[in-house]
Amino acid sequence: MTQPAADKVRFNFVTQCPRDDGCGVFVLQMLTGKPYDQIAGMIDWGVQTNHYTTWKELRGVLTALGWQTGGLRKAESWDDVCGVAVVDVEGDHFILYDADNGVFL
């Protein structure tokens, strides 16, 4: 895979190491520019030790930060995604996708 042109990248990429949990938190970090600890602190995981996130939690953080989120939609292909989207891939992993520039983060 080739790297996208620098002028097409609108978000700072944050690397998630295999040992890290919370891909949703990393996506929110890239999208909002907020630090990991601030985003993670906005989610109540209760007694969970692994910080896996759900759509409800992701949308809750964005709402708390004053973002308006669109409804959930099923996409049959990447061509069905428009603008900037948080995408749930294979039911257990979130990525940030900038469809306008064809950049996956």
Side-chain angles (χ1 to χ4, degrees):
M1 176 183 279
T2 61
Q3 293 289 327
D7 64 333
K8 298 291 183 184
V9 179
R10 301 191 295 186
F11 304 95
N12 289 326
F13 180 73
V14 178
T15 301
Q16 178 185 4
C17 298
R19 67 186 177 281
D20 292 339
D21 52 16
C23 61
V25 177
F26 283 89
V27 165
L28 291 173
Q29 185 182 0
M30 289 185 284
L31 183 61
T32 66
K34 305 284 185 202
Y36 181 93
D37 289 339
Q38 180 181 353
I39 297 295
M42 298 176 77
I43 299 172
D44 179 15
W45 280 292
V47 297
Q48 286 180 286
T49 56
N50 291 328
H51 296 160
Y52 299 119
T53 50
T54 64
W55 277 113
K56 180 180 177 184
E57 292 162 338
L58 294 178
R59 293 180 78 187
V61 168
L62 290 172
T63 299
L65 292 173
W67 290 57
Q68 291 183 348
T69 59
L72 300 177
R73 305 186 291 166
K74 183 175 181 172
E76 298 296 329
S77 74
W78 290 108
D79 292 334
D80 293 341
V81 181
C82 58
V84 174
V86 175
V87 180
D88 185 3
V89 180
E90 298 298 324
D92 67 351
H93 185 64
F94 292 106
I95 64 169
L96 184 61
Y97 179 52
D98 177 358
D100 294 336
N101 292 302
V103 177
F104 295 88
L105 298 149

